[in-house]
């Protein structure tokens, strides 16, 4: 990669499974590949992360104003 390159990426889900210790989340593994503007692969990596299950995410309540 060089300064000024345009980078594109795509991610492929490799695995999804239940969390054994947290019933409100699942564990997702993905492989991400990055390409430059010529289509050359410049990076590939695998990552695993937690994702809230449908209906179990944190509430998106309205922020409360700070009081002085």
């Amino acid at each position: 990669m060089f300064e000024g390159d345009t980078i594109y990426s795509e991610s492929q889900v490799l695995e999804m499974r239940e969390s054994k210790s947290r019933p409100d989340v699942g564990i997702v593994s993905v492989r991400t590949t990055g390409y430059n503007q010529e289509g050359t692969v410049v990076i590939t990596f695998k990552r695993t992360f937690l994702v809230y299950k449908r209906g179990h995410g944190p509430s998106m309540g309205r922020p409360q104003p700070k009081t002085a």
Side-chain angles (χ1 to χ4, degrees):
M1 286 190 309
F2 298 96
E3 183 178 345
D5 280 359
T6 300
I7 305 300
Y8 302 93
S9 67
E10 64 181 6
S11 294
Q12 176 185 15
V13 175
L14 303 173
E15 179 183 10
M16 296 184 303
R17 62 185 170 92
E18 302 282 329
S19 170
K20 294 177 183 173
S21 61
R22 297 183 57 190
D24 58 337
V25 298
I27 301 169
V28 179
S29 295
V30 299
R31 178 185 301 116
T32 300
T33 304
Y35 306 89
N36 67 10
Q37 67 278 4
E38 296 162 354
T40 304
V41 174
V42 295
I43 189 168
T44 299
F45 57 93
K46 179 183 172 187
R47 67 189 191 277
T48 302
F49 49 91
L50 296 174
V51 177
Y52 282 106
K53 292 180 181 178
R54 192 173 287 127
H56 291 278
S59 64
M60 299 297 288
R62 187 175 181 163
Q64 297 298 315
K66 295 181 181 179
T67 57

